[in-house]
Amino acid sequence: MTSTIEIDDLKQAWQTLSTRLEQQSAVQLELLQLARVDKLKSSLRPLFWGQLMQLLFGFAMILAGVWLWTTFSTLTPVLVMGIIMHLYGVATIITSCIVMARITLIDRSLPVLELQQRLLHLRKASIVSSAVAGLPWWLLWMLPPAVLIALAQNSGQGLPLGVWSWFAFGGVGLLGTWCFHRWSQRPGREDLAKRLHDLAAGNSLRKAQAELDALKAFAQE
Amino acid sequence: MDSQQTRFTALLQAHRGIVLKVAATYARGLHDRQDLAQEITVQLWRAFPRYEPTRIFSTWMYRIALNVAISHLRSTAQGERTSSLDEHPEDPAAMHVDDCTAQLAVNQRVRTLYAVIERHSPLDRALLMLWLEERSQREIAEIIGISESNVATKLNRLKQRIREQLATPNQAGQNPSHIPHGA
């Protein structure tokens, strides 16, 4: 005799499966496993430490910037560069603090959708933090030599034309990066855009994005 | 062993079925299931100091287990379709196979169940599993984090999709439409 499986039969199958899982005892939930807990790393821990390093780096930039604009306040180029470093340091600290605060909000015991939303916010914060810390270096890497040149000149006059050409090159690079980002966002380049986002967000958050894609679909049903 | 550990162990043993079933829903193959079950156990233990005894333990446990399982599914090759049951002789769906027709029918039902589960997204799997567990809509809403009415709507849609899958040959497993009945 044959028949069609009905949806309620699945519950019967589920009971069978449950019984078999218990019988199989394939999974040992013994206490000895708990001893290994401390050795296991949280997937978000590398991100947290990375942000902590970024925060310390931001402090160092602030100290350097403050030293420059207080010590050489009469040298306009150095004063401006000191302020730029100061602002950069503040920005990196703020974004790092936001990411670290969001990491502390990740609690596995939250309702499933709420946790997924928090992961989304964390991912966004991490991407912004990466951009804030990284992109300005198109220009910032030229600050040390520019400061040295300005100090060597020891006058309030502007920087040599050659130094400005470095900054112009950095500006073009920054603009090019922005244009490339905009270009990658266009329809048909979703894979490239996703890879760029993954790269910016770091390994720790790749999993989170995949989960959140499913969340969006689920919430919109 | 301190008192917290003792309490946790007792609760874990009492509700170990949740860990086993969530692991079986989101991972296939003995080793993958073991890894997931262990990861769930680890996360439960880590979260246990923040567990409030006034809350229902099973609800708290389901939340953590499902959150860990969804992450696990995504991390293992983006939740790629797992290999067929034939490649996993240790799979519960393939247990106790003998010449008994009734036993074969039971195995086929479990295979069909697995096939149905695997066709759904991680979040839908959570819904499906909780429905199979006969959890109340209120508890499902609390675990997933959506309203009770939303749970009812989603469950209706989910069941409708499953009915369609079951009615369509090769959509819900290996020829599920005709299996020996009477298991």
Side-chain angles (χ1 to χ4, degrees), chain A residues 14 20 24 26 40 214 218, chain B residues 34 46 74 90 107 133:
Chain A
W14 181 254
R20 288 180 179 181
Q24 196 179 42
L40 295 173
F218 187 80
Chain B
Q34 279 180 326
R46 276 184 176 155
R74 293 299 187 187
E90 77 282 5
N107 284 348
E133 284 281 273

Side-chain angles (χ1 to χ4, degrees), chain B residues 31-178:
Chain B
H31 295 299
D32 199 22
R33 282 206 314 277
Q34 279 180 326
D35 286 348
L36 177 53
Q38 174 144 343
E39 177 63 15
I40 290 170
T41 309
V42 164
Q43 295 297 342
L44 286 167
W45 171 240
R46 276 184 176 155
F48 191 63
R50 296 189 299 277
Y51 167 68
E52 295 165 15
T54 52
R55 295 169 62 184
I56 300 170
F57 186 77
S58 61
T59 302
W60 176 84
M61 198 169 177
Y62 269 119
R63 281 182 177 180
I64 293 176
L66 288 169
N67 275 319
V68 173
I70 290 170
S71 296
H72 177 87
L73 185 69
R74 293 299 187 187
S75 68
T76 51
Q78 294 297 299
E80 66 181 8
R81 297 287 178 241
T82 45
S83 47
S84 73
L85 288 170
D86 294 338
E87 294 172 43
H88 295 291
E90 77 282 5
D91 198 285
M95 288 175 68
H96 311 300
V97 175
D98 52 28
D99 292 334
C100 173
T101 306
Q103 191 63 61
L104 288 171
V106 172
N107 284 348
Q108 182 59 53
R109 282 173 198 276
V110 178
R111 284 169 190 268
T112 302
L113 172 66
Y114 264 136
V116 167
I117 289 171
E118 287 184 355
R119 286 184 61 83
H120 288 89
S121 69
L123 289 167
D124 278 336
R125 282 191 199 193
L127 263 181
L128 176 58
M129 192 202 133
L130 293 167
W131 173 72
L132 289 167
E133 284 281 273
E134 298 189 328
R135 296 285 155 179
S136 68
Q137 289 187 0
R138 185 179 173 186
E139 192 178 2
I140 294 174
E142 205 176 328
I143 292 166
I144 303 286
I146 54 179
S147 66
E148 281 185 60
S149 59
N150 203 354
V151 169
T153 306
K154 286 185 183 302
L155 277 178
N156 282 334
R157 288 179 185 164
L158 185 67
K159 284 190 269 188
Q160 185 56 38
R161 281 203 301 275
I162 292 171
R163 280 192 195 96
E164 288 166 7
Q165 287 169 21
L166 291 174
T168 309
N170 300 321
Q171 286 288 304
Q174 299 160 5
N175 191 20
S177 299
H178 296 88

Side-chain angles (χ1 to χ4, degrees), chain A residues 54 95 99 122-134 200:
Chain A
Q54 185 175 312
T95 53
V99 173
L122 173 58
R123 178 178 167 80
K124 283 183 175 175
S126 176
I127 290 170
V128 170
S129 179
S130 300
V132 166

